[in-house]
C-alpha cells in the first residue's frame, strides 16, 4: 500500500495558501472578517505561513448557532484564517484520498452532488425490485477522533501534515450530546460547517463503502454523506445486509437511525435527498416545497413592506435557487403555482420557463 510523505511543503507553499484564501473567500468577499483579511492579504498569508512552518499555528474559537429547519442542528463556523488553513490542507490531502473512494459516493466530490446521486439511484432502481434505505444517527457529532486519525495514517506518513490534521481535529468544539456514545468519554464530533469535516466524512466512511461494495458484494449502492441505499431483488437478502451493515457501523462507533432504516419496493417511490424518487421520474418532496413557500411568503411580506431595496435580490436568489432544485424533477405545475401565489401577493415576477425568475 502506497503512503505519501513530504506533503507539508506543498500545504505551506505560497501559491497553495493564496489559492486557499481565494477559495475560502468565494461568495463571502463582503463579510467583515473576509474583507479585513483580504485587505492585508499578503501580510496575513505570510504570518499564517510562518505559523504553520514553525508549528506555532493554533486554531481560533468557533462561532456556533442553531438551525431548526428541517431539524435542529448546531452549526459551527471557524474564523476566516482557519478556513484558509482548511482549504490549504484539503488542496493537498483530498487528491490522495479521492483515488481510493468508491464511484458511488457522491458528497463533496468534484463532478458528483445530489442530482448525480439521484440519477445513480434511478439507474439501480430500474434494475432492482427492493432498496434498503438508511442514514446514520447524529452522524457528525458521532465521528470518533481516534478512528479518524487512524484513517489519516492509512495513506499519509508525513509527520508535519499529520500534526496539522490532528490539530484541527483536536480543536473541534464540543458538539451535540450523543447519549449512546458519551458514556465512555472518548473524544468525538466534527463541526458541520468546516470544509475539512465534509471531506473527512468521506475519509471516515471510505472503509464502510468498500465493505458494502466488496465484502457484501452489493453492486447497487449509493451514498451521500450519511444517507445510503443498497439495492437487491431479494427482500430477505436486504434484511441480512441490514444486520451486517449495522454490525460494521458499530465497529466504527456509528449507529443507523432506527426510524429511518427501512426496505422499500422501488416501484412505489422512495424519499431520497429531497425528492420522492421512482425508477423513471422524481418530484420534490412536499415538506421541502412547504418550507420554501413559507420562506417566499416571509420574504414577499418584507418586499411589500420595505420595497425593492435589499429584498428584491434576496427574493430573486431564493426563487432561482429553489427553481434549480425543483426543475430536476417533474415540476411545471408547481413552478406556476408559486408564480401565481407571488402575483396574488403583489410581487411582479418575470418567468422564463427554462431560465431564471426576475422580480420587476
Amino acid at each position: 500500500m502506497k503512503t505519501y510523505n513530504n506533503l507539508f511543503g506543498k500545504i505551506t507553499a505560497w501559491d497553495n495558501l493564496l489559492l486557499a484564501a481565494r477559495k475560502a473567500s468565494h461568495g463571502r468577499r463582503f463579510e467583515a472578517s473576509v474583507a479585513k483579511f483580504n485587505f492585508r492579504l499578503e501580510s496575513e498569508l505570510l504570518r499564517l505561513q510562518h505559523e504553520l512552518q514553525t508549528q506555532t499555528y493554533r486554531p481560533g474559537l468557533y462561532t456556533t448557532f442553531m438551525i431548526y429547519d428541517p431539524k435542529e442542528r448546531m452549526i459551527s463556523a471557524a474564523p476566516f484564517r482557519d478556513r484558509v488553513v482548511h482549504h490549504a490542507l484539503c488542496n493537498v490531502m483530498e487528491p490522495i484520498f479521492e483515488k481510493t473512494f468508491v464511484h458511488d459516493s457522491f458528497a463533496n466530490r468534484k463532478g458528483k452532488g445530489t442530482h448525480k446521486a439521484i440519477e445513480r439511484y434511478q439507474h439501480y432502481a430500474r434494475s432492482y425490485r427492493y432498496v434498503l434505505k438508511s442514514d446514520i444517527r447524529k452522524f457528525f457529532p458521532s465521528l470518533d477522533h481516534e478512528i479518524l486519525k487512524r484513517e489519516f495514517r492509512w495513506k499519509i506518513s508525513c509527520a508535519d501534515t499529520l500534526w496539522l490534521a490532528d490539530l484541527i481535529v483536536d480543536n473541534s468544539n464540543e458538539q451535540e450530546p450523543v447519549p449512546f456514545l458519551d458514556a465512555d468519554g472518548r473524544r468525538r464530533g466534527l463541526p458541520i460547517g468546516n470544509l475539512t469535516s465534509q471531506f473527512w466524512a468521506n475519509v471516515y466512511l471510505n472503509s464502510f463503502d468498500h465493505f458494502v461494495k466488496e465484502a457484501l458484494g452489493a453492486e447497487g449502492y449509493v451514498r451521500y454523506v450519511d444517507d445510503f441505499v443498497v439495492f437487491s431483488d431479494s427482500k430477505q437478502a436486504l434484511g441480512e445486509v441490514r444486520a451486517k451493515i449495522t454490525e460494521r457501523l458499530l465497529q466504527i462507533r456509528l449507529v443507523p437511525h432506527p426510524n429511518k432504516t427501512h426496505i422499500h419496493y422501488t416501484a412505489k417511490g422512495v424519499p431520497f435527498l429531497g425528492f420522492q424518487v421512482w425508477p423513471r421520474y422524481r418530484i420534490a418532496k412536499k415538506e421541502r416545497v412547504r418550507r420554501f413557500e413559507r420562506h417566499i411568503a416571509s420574504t414577499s411580506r418584507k418586499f411589500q413592506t420595505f420595497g425593492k431595496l435589499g429584498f428584491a435580490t434576496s427574493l430573486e436568489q431564493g426563487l432561482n435557487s429553489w427553481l434549480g432544485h425543483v426543475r430536476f424533477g417533474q415540476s411545471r405545475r408547481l413552478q406556476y403555482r408559486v408564480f401565481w401565489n407571488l402575483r396574488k401577493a403583489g410581487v411582479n415576477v418575470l418567468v422564463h420557463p427554462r431560465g431564471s425568475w426576475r422580480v420587476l
Side-chain angles (χ1 to χ4, degrees):
M1 180 192 67
K2 181 178 180 181
T3 60
Y4 292 79
N5 204 346
N6 301 318
L7 300 174
F8 199 62
K10 296 179 181 179
I11 294 170
T12 61
W14 175 261
D15 288 347
N16 186 52
L17 291 174
L18 184 60
L19 175 62
R22 288 172 177 166
K23 286 184 174 181
S25 300
H26 184 69
R28 301 174 178 270
R29 293 185 182 278
F30 298 108
E31 293 181 8
S33 61
V34 180
K36 183 178 178 181
F37 187 96
N38 286 330
F39 183 72
R40 297 171 51 85
L41 181 62
E42 185 173 330
S43 61
E44 290 284 359
L45 289 182
L46 284 171
R47 184 160 66 96
L48 202 52
Q49 184 182 52
H50 175 74
E51 290 179 10
L52 290 169
Q53 290 172 341
T54 58
Q55 296 193 1
T56 57
Y57 165 75
R58 295 295 180 270
L61 298 176
Y62 285 89
T63 301
T64 62
F65 56 94
M66 302 298 295
I67 61 171
Y68 300 93
D69 196 2
K71 61 182 180 181
E72 183 176 333
R73 288 189 301 173
M74 186 177 83
I75 305 298
S76 303
F80 181 72
R81 74 191 308 265
D82 292 342
R83 299 204 296 269
V84 173
V85 174
H86 298 169
H87 277 276
L89 179 62
C90 287
N91 286 346
V92 175
M93 280 187 73
E94 196 166 353
I96 293 171
F97 282 93
E98 174 66 28
K99 301 173 186 177
T100 72
F101 294 156
V102 300
H103 176 76
D104 288 331
S105 164
F106 285 88
N108 309 299
R109 298 175 65 191
K110 291 180 180 179
K112 302 286 186 174
T114 55
H115 290 181
K116 292 288 186 181
I118 292 169
E119 288 173 347
R120 191 65 166 169
Y121 173 97
Q122 290 187 293
H123 166 77
Y124 288 129
R126 289 193 284 269
S127 302
Y128 295 97
R129 295 181 64 197
Y130 299 101
V131 59
L132 168 66
K133 180 181 180 294
S134 182
D135 74 9
I136 296 169
R137 190 177 179 188
K138 288 188 177 290
F139 177 58
F140 281 100
S142 298
L143 295 179
D144 187 271
H145 290 189
E146 183 180 326
I147 294 173
L148 179 60
K149 291 177 183 180
R150 187 178 69 210
E151 292 299 321
F152 294 161
R153 286 154 176 79
W154 176 57
K155 294 300 292 181
I156 294 175
S157 56
C158 174
D160 292 335
T161 300
L162 292 171
W163 162 79
L164 180 57
D166 290 350
L167 181 68
I168 295 171
V169 172
D170 291 339
N171 280 273
S172 299
N173 61 332
E174 186 175 350
Q175 298 297 300
E176 302 171 58
V178 185
F180 50 89
L181 292 177
D182 286 341
D184 59 12
R186 288 169 62 125
R187 289 216 63 200
R188 48 119 198 106
L190 295 180
I192 294 178
N194 280 2
L195 173 71
T196 47
S197 301
Q198 305 295 322
F199 163 52
W200 288 342
N202 283 336
V203 173
Y204 197 95
L205 286 177
N206 192 26
S207 62
F208 172 76
D209 292 338
H210 283 279
F211 169 78
V212 176
K213 296 284 286 184
E214 296 160 14
L216 298 185
E219 180 183 345
Y221 170 71
V222 178
R223 181 178 66 79
Y224 187 90
V225 193
D226 62 323
D227 288 286
F228 61 90
V229 290
V230 183
F231 293 85
S232 176
D233 282 323
S234 168
K235 197 171 184 177
Q236 181 180 352
L238 284 181
E240 295 171 1
V241 165
R242 176 177 179 172
K244 292 176 181 177
I245 280 177
T246 300
E247 182 181 350
R248 178 68 176 188
L249 286 173
L250 286 173
Q251 292 175 12
I252 55 174
R253 298 175 57 77
L254 297 174
V255 178
H257 200 297
N259 299 328
K260 299 180 181 179
T261 302
H262 302 288
I263 297 172
H264 302 268
Y265 187 43
T266 54
K268 291 187 176 180
V270 177
F272 188 55
L273 303 181
F275 285 83
Q276 193 75 15
V277 186
W278 288 262
R280 298 193 180 276
Y281 70 100
R282 60 250 174 179
I283 60 173
K285 289 174 66 176
K286 290 181 180 179
E287 53 265 38
R288 284 279 187 100
V289 173
R290 284 195 292 268
R291 285 204 307 272
F292 169 77
E293 289 182 325
R294 288 197 299 269
H295 167 71
I296 289 300
S298 173
T299 308
S300 298
R301 287 192 294 271
K302 293 174 183 176
F303 177 87
Q304 290 173 304
T305 303
F306 300 105
K308 293 185 68 173
L309 186 62
F311 292 100
T313 301
S314 176
L315 188 57
E316 282 182 5
Q317 289 175 344
L319 284 168
N320 287 307
S321 174
W322 176 80
L323 195 61
H325 174 72
V326 299
R327 275 185 178 160
F328 185 65
Q330 282 64 37
S331 63
R332 183 62 62 86
R333 289 168 61 187
L334 175 59
Q335 291 178 50
Y336 280 99
R337 188 181 83 194
V338 171
F339 166 73
W340 285 114
N341 285 340
L342 285 169
R343 279 291 183 91
K344 286 192 291 185
V347 181
N348 291 322
V349 180
L350 178 64
V351 183
H352 298 280
R354 292 297 172 190
S356 61
W357 293 16
R358 289 189 57 208
V359 176
L360 301 178

